[in-house]
Amino acid sequence: MSLKFSHSAIIVLFLCSFTTILAHEDEDPTIKTMEDFSGYPIHEPHLSFQNTVSSLSVDTRSLQKQIDELSTFSDTPAPSVTRILYSDKDILARRFIKNLMGLSGLSVREDAIGNIFGRWEGYNPDLSAVGTGSHIDAIPYSGKYDGVVGVLGAIEAINVLKRSGFKPKRSLEVILFTSEEPTRFGISCLGSRLMAGSKTLANALKTTVDGQNISFFDAAQSAGYTKDEGDLSSVFLEKGSYSAFVELHIEQGPILEDEGISVGIVTAIAAPASIKVDFEGNGGHAGAVLMPNRNDAGLAAAELALAVERHVLESGSIDTVGTVGILELHPGAINSIPSKSHLEIDTRDIDEERRNVVIEKIHQSAITIASKRGVNLSEFKIVNQDPPALSDKSILDAMEASSKELNLTHKFMISRAYHDSLFMARVSPMGMIFIPCYKGYSHKPEEYASSQDISNGVKVLALTLAKLSLQ
């Protein structure tokens, strides 16, 4: 007896012969194999990455070359990097990133202040996308890895997935955030704050100037942005614009390196607050004015700096930190009693209430010190007082699963530095991946992350994005 088969039936039988290799227990093996064969989904895929994991390959040489090349767009000589918002070097660096996005097949767009987006469209583009990214601006005389790993690493994560043959259900979008550092206009995470819908910031930027008295809008327009300076609402994102956001970043601390752990899974980002304080005294000649008769604004500032340390330690938590990062005296002469002093204080904690208690104690100390020393507390201004952000459980699970599947050691930890993810958490579920950096160094030329650690981070990011794109 002879059997006759149609051409389509032969193809189906041919594909079915491979089901024992590619099939999984909880799915139709024929459909799964046909999807793999054609490269297109027949139904909504199940979350399985056995083939994807084995084929994840990071081009570490190319990625390191990109990091090195980006570092040349700097206003200070190597090995330091200085890249200030809307400067000529910043503009060149932005072009470099947009070019890499284009070479990776991403569709590129920019918003009114220069947040840059590179999208790999998924096969269900109507769903909200999964976002990833970081920043490339750099404070004076810093290093070449802070933020950069999260941008170039994100582009490479997309390339990794493309090379593996993976096809996302949700679109994947790489974001370069404008001005995470507060260097030029004194506003940290400027781009992500606006994306999160800060109307207060949008209004404040209308009168904001830098140290050279150049307005924010003039600077932005010189770089080709803010065509309509009266309205920045186009930058705002609606809640749910992304289904998830994941940021890859160097730890900027020593824990992962000290403990020999490959990956940090961030559970929370500490709540930062910034305070500006001004004291005014009488000043006078350093030799002629006797000690009992002095109203020394410099000593008031020194006493408050020590009070900051005391109040932080009184919290009883290792997660409470405080820093007097700026202390300026006027007139700044060795033989002149300071008549004015200016402090800028940073305090942060993963517990918002505990941090706010520290802020109030600092305020009360400033009042007491001013009264005791006979100086005027002319300003005590809380510049920002942001809430902490907790990582989303589904993203934590995806990052942990990815680390395990890649056989990488991992540790759950908090971020005491704040990042654009802090503000993206107001728009979408958020998570962060940390990789080790040499001695925890950051914001200095010695900042360094090894190619192997960067590669590990990119793989975890790629696999995490793949998992989240299919949810």
Side-chain angles (χ1 to χ4, degrees), residues 171-193:
S171 297
L172 300 179
E173 189 152 78
V174 179
I175 307 173
L176 186 161
F177 294 100
T178 284
S179 191
E180 192 260 7
E181 306 290 5
T183 311
R184 183 164 188 182
F185 293 103
I187 303 165
S188 60
C189 299
L190 189 153
S192 54
R193 281 180 192 270

Side-chain angles (χ1 to χ4, degrees), residues 16-93:
C16 286
S17 67
F18 290 90
T19 57
T20 57
I21 299 174
L22 299 172
H24 300 279
E25 293 180 0
D26 61 343
E27 62 188 348
D28 184 324
T30 303
I31 292 176
K32 174 66 173 64
T33 307
M34 290 177 72
E35 287 179 334
D36 290 342
F37 182 81
S38 67
Y40 293 95
I42 295 173
H43 70 340
E44 211 170 271
H46 293 276
L47 192 61
S48 180
F49 292 96
Q50 289 181 0
N51 294 333
T52 302
V53 170
S54 63
S55 62
L56 294 182
S57 175
V58 176
D59 189 342
T60 54
R61 181 176 298 180
S62 176
L63 181 53
Q64 186 61 55
K65 183 180 178 182
Q66 291 167 8
I67 293 171
D68 293 341
E69 187 171 353
L70 185 58
S71 72
T72 66
F73 301 115
S74 170
D75 287 317
T76 53
S80 71
V81 178
T82 300
R83 196 160 43 241
I84 308 301
L85 174 65
Y86 299 145
S87 65
D88 290 343
K89 299 299 185 182
D90 182 47
I91 294 169
L92 290 173

Side-chain angles (χ1 to χ4, degrees), residues 178-343:
T178 284
S179 191
E180 192 260 7
E181 306 290 5
T183 311
R184 183 164 188 182
F185 293 103
I187 303 165
S188 60
C189 299
L190 189 153
S192 54
R193 281 180 192 270
L194 282 177
M195 287 172 64
S198 177
K199 295 179 181 178
T200 301
L201 175 57
N203 288 328
L205 287 174
K206 295 177 182 178
T207 57
T208 296
V209 297
D210 66 8
Q212 305 301 315
N213 208 35
I214 299 171
S215 75
F216 170 80
F217 281 98
D218 283 346
Q221 286 170 359
S222 72
Y225 302 112
T226 61
K227 298 296 189 287
D228 180 10
E229 67 177 70
D231 184 15
L232 293 178
S233 62
S234 63
V235 180
F236 299 168
L237 295 180
E238 293 183 3
K239 192 172 180 63
S241 296
Y242 293 94
S243 64
F245 178 81
V246 186
E247 182 173 3
L248 173 64
H249 209 282
I250 61 171
E251 181 195 349
Q252 298 181 290
I255 295 173
L256 293 176
E257 183 185 58
D258 287 350
E259 298 184 11
I261 294 172
S262 299
V263 174
I265 297 175
V266 176
T267 58
I269 303 174
S274 301
I275 309 166
K276 291 185 177 181
V277 183
D278 287 310
F279 291 110
E280 294 183 8
N282 293 333
H285 193 284
V289 180
L290 299 180
M291 299 303 289
N293 300 326
R294 296 188 179 194
N295 305 108
D296 191 327
L299 290 179
E303 191 171 345
L304 183 61
L306 291 173
V308 169
E309 179 187 39
R310 183 174 70 253
H311 296 320
V312 165
L313 293 174
E314 286 170 351
S315 79
S317 171
I318 196 171
D319 294 324
T320 314
V321 294
T323 305
V324 178
I326 295 175
L327 199 163
E328 299 171 340
L329 304 179
H330 176 83
I334 190 172
N335 60 348
S336 180
I337 301 166
S339 59
K340 295 180 182 179
S341 61
H342 173 78
L343 302 91

Side-chain angles (χ1 to χ4, degrees), residues 278-281 295 297 339 341 366 370-371 373-379:
D278 287 310
F279 291 110
E280 294 183 8
N295 305 108
S339 59
S341 61
S371 175
R373 292 193 170 273
V375 298
N376 179 38
L377 177 61
S378 54
E379 180 176 58

Side-chain angles (χ1 to χ4, degrees), residues 110-188:
E110 297 175 271
D111 66 17
I113 62 164
N115 290 312
I116 300 172
F117 307 83
R119 178 171 289 220
W120 180 19
E121 192 163 282
Y123 62 77
N124 195 337
D126 292 335
L127 295 175
S128 54
V130 177
T132 182
S134 194
H135 67 99
I136 63 167
D137 60 315
I139 69 169
Y141 296 94
S142 61
K144 61 184 177 183
Y145 295 91
D146 174 19
V148 168
V149 167
V151 176
L152 294 178
I155 296 172
E156 177 59 16
I158 298 292
N159 292 333
V160 165
L161 291 175
K162 287 190 171 188
R163 289 193 292 266
S164 76
F166 177 78
K167 299 188 186 308
K169 175 182 175 182
R170 296 179 182 271
S171 297
L172 300 179
E173 189 152 78
V174 179
I175 307 173
L176 186 161
F177 294 100
T178 284
S179 191
E180 192 260 7
E181 306 290 5
T183 311
R184 183 164 188 182
F185 293 103
I187 303 165
S188 60

